[in-house]
């Protein structure tokens, strides 16, 4: 089976703004790209989108999820001088943010650049750590009146700004929002690459919302689908830079997608893990194994819908995940698509029933 990948589209995925609760532009980009490649498009009432590729009648339902949202900020206050104070949407380390580029999107869709400013350095050096109340956005205006005149107001979403950058080895790419546009890219390229293939299952490829603030869209999508098995594809930890400890992560960029044993929100089904490993080996797809005590993915909610779904999480080792610039290896993205394409061929009615049987 020959696989092709559209990196112009993948770059657009990373550069489209869509923090939690504001994912509409990302969903529209995927809808316009994929709507003619599937049999049906479904939506939940939160903003998630589901692309359905039908298999035989009464085929098992296989849900593969990638969340649309990225981390960002919300404007919480504006002072008389026109400086905007922010609160985080998703997990941030404030010390990473000083002087970084951001973009605010107003209620009528206009975008304005800004820079994250901070209190004087002399004052900050006396503190044990940087907090969000030490930071603000400098939009380059004279006062509050000028800022409000642009349509910028409390409640507007603020998104990190970072270009798509192939590094010295261009298979390593840095950009914003790999969490989780890499997952969005994987389910998109999967749908493109299975065109003309007969599958024994019905695939539900879900772009879910609000994962970063509570795994919310995954829950509503799984209620709609009622899957037999569910897989989340997301970023994973990394353990291949200076200072990393193997206890925290053994994952390395470029050595294949990670098949998770467990995380803080879900335990992988042991039969499903074994099947995924067997499929990878049979098709010469490199893979890694991860045991993560913290963090979670869409799997945490998907596998609890109705009477439960057989769970699996497949992640991409990603350096500096919750930051303006994250780094992945494109081999891992491509090999994830290959793994899912071959795995889908194995998910027959009989095999899925076996996965559901524990003794």
């Amino acid at each position: 089976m020959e696989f092709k990948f559209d990196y112009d589209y993948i770059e657009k995925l990373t550069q489209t703004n869509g923090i939690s609760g504001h994912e509409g532009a990302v969903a529209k980009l995927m809808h316009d790209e994929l709507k003619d490649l599937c049999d049906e498009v479904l939506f939940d009432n939160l903003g998630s989108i589901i692309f359905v590729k039908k298999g035989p009648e009464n085929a098992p339902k296989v849900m593969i999820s990638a969340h649309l949202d990225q981390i960002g900020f919300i404007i919480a206050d504006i002072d008389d001088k026109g400086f905007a104070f922010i609160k985080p949407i998703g997990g941030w380390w404030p010390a990473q943010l000083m002087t970084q580029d951001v973009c605010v999107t107003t209620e009528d869709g206009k975008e304005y650049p800004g820079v994250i400013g901070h209190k004087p350095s002399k004052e900050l050096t006396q503190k044990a750590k940087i907090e969000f109340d030490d930071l603000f956005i400098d939009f380059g205006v004279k006062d509050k009146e000028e800022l409000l005149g642009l349509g910028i107001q409390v409640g507007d979403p603020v998104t990190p700004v970072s270009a798509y950058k192939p590094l010295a080895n261009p298979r390593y790419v840095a950009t914003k929002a790999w969490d989780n546009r890499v997952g969005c890219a994987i389910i998109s390229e999967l749908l493109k690459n299975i065109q003309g293939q007969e599958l024994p299952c019905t695939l539900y490829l879900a772009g879910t919302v609000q994962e970063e603030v509570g795994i919310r869209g995954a829950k509503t999508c799984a209620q709609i689908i009622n899957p037999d098995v569910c897989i989340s594809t997301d970023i994973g930890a990394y353990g291949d830079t200076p200072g990393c400890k193997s206890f925290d992560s053994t994952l390395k960029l470029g050595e294949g997608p990670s098949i998770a044993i467990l995380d803080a929100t879900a335990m992988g089904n042991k039969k499903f893990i074994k099947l995924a490993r067997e499929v990878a080996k049979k098709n010469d797809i490199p893979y890694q194994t991860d045991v993560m005590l913290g963090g979670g993915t869409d799997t945490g909610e998907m596998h609890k819908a109705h009477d439960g779904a057989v769970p699996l999480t497949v992640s991409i080792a990603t350096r500096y995940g919750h930051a303006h610039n994250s780094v992945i290896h494109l081999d891992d993205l491509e090999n994830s698509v290959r793994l899912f394409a071959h795995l889908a061929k194995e998910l027959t009615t009989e095999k899925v029933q076996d996965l559901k049987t524990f003794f």
Side-chain angles (χ1 to χ4, degrees):
M1 184 177 178
E2 183 181 357
F3 291 81
K4 297 181 179 180
F5 299 88
D6 182 353
Y7 278 103
D8 289 336
Y9 166 71
I10 291 170
E11 180 177 349
K12 288 179 185 176
L13 278 172
T14 70
Q15 294 302 295
T16 301
N17 291 341
I19 73 167
S20 306
H22 299 266
E23 302 95 340
V26 186
K28 185 180 187 305
L29 175 63
M30 293 181 67
H31 176 268
D32 292 349
E33 181 81 5
L34 305 175
K35 59 183 172 61
D36 295 329
L37 302 179
C38 63
D39 298 303
E40 188 177 7
V41 181
L42 305 174
F43 302 89
D44 70 3
N45 293 330
L46 300 184
S48 306
I49 187 168
I50 305 165
F51 302 95
V52 185
K53 191 68 174 175
K54 293 183 179 178
E57 187 176 359
N58 298 319
K61 299 177 183 179
V62 177
M63 179 179 180
I64 305 179
S65 165
H67 67 87
L68 303 174
D69 55 317
Q70 65 188 102
I71 58 173
F73 316 93
I74 290 288
I75 293 180
D77 191 22
I78 300 170
D79 72 8
D80 291 340
K81 296 180 180 179
F83 293 105
F85 296 86
I86 52 175
K87 291 189 177 180
I89 299 297
W92 285 100
W93 184 32
Q96 292 177 308
L97 296 174
M98 294 187 290
T99 73
Q100 292 281 5
D101 294 335
V102 292
C103 172
V104 65
T105 304
T106 66
E107 194 172 58
D108 59 3
K110 293 180 180 178
E111 295 184 348
Y112 295 97
V115 174
I116 298 182
H118 55 83
K119 292 178 180 179
S121 300
K122 183 178 180 180
E123 181 178 340
L124 294 181
T125 57
Q126 300 173 16
K127 299 192 61 169
K129 63 178 181 177
I130 307 300
E131 305 284 359
F132 267 96
D133 61 6
D134 296 315
L135 307 175
F136 48 82
I137 301 179
D138 185 344
F139 286 109
V141 295
K142 181 176 63 175
D143 53 27
K144 183 175 184 178
E145 183 179 359
E146 183 178 357
L147 190 69
L148 295 177
L150 297 173
I152 298 173
Q153 61 185 330
V154 169
D156 283 346
V158 175
T159 311
V161 172
S162 176
Y164 184 94
K165 302 172 289 289
L167 301 180
N169 175 345
R171 298 299 287 173
Y172 292 84
V173 176
T175 188
K176 74 177 183 69
W178 276 135
D179 185 7
N180 182 31
R181 304 297 161 67
V182 67
C184 296
I186 288 167
I187 63 172
S188 297
E189 299 304 301
L190 173 63
L191 184 56
K192 295 174 186 177
N193 279 284
I194 61 172
Q195 294 302 302
Q197 301 285 320
E198 291 189 8
L199 300 178
C201 57
T202 292
L203 282 182
Y204 295 83
L205 305 177
T208 61
V209 297
Q210 299 186 41
E211 188 269 354
E212 297 290 0
V213 291
I215 320 182
R216 295 169 185 170
K219 183 173 184 176
T220 50
C221 285
Q223 289 295 118
I224 292 170
I225 297 166
N226 191 14
D228 295 290
V229 303
C230 62
I231 309 170
S232 173
T233 179
D234 205 331
I235 70 164
Y238 63 99
D240 60 352
T241 63
C244 289
K245 298 179 181 179
S246 61
F247 179 82
D248 297 320
S249 177
T250 59
L251 301 185
K252 297 177 175 61
L253 273 65
E255 296 197 2
S258 168
I259 299 170
I261 305 300
L262 59 85
D263 61 36
T265 63
M267 301 188 72
N269 175 282
K270 61 182 182 181
K271 288 186 177 181
F272 208 177
I273 292 170
K274 181 181 179 183
L275 176 63
R277 287 169 163 170
E278 290 173 347
V279 167
K281 291 174 183 176
K282 184 168 67 174
N283 294 283
D284 297 318
I285 300 169
Y287 72 91
Q288 305 178 73
T289 304
D290 190 24
V291 179
M292 186 171 69
L293 299 180
T297 69
D298 277 352
T299 307
E301 286 295 341
M302 289 191 296
H303 79 292
K304 297 185 291 187
H306 297 284
D307 55 346
V310 178
L312 183 70
T313 300
V314 176
S315 58
I316 301 299
T318 304
R319 295 176 185 161
Y320 333 120
H322 278 208
H324 268 63
N325 285 285
S326 300
V327 180
I328 70 163
H329 197 294
L330 298 183
D331 286 3
D332 296 334
L333 187 162
E334 294 180 3
N335 280 318
S336 294
V337 175
R338 294 186 176 97
L339 177 60
F340 287 142
H342 289 292
L343 185 58
K345 293 181 179 180
E346 301 288 334
L347 294 173
T348 63
T349 299
E350 294 75 21
K351 176 58 71 174
V352 169
Q353 187 56 46
D354 178 64
L355 295 179
K356 293 179 177 180
T357 305
F358 287 88
F359 59 90

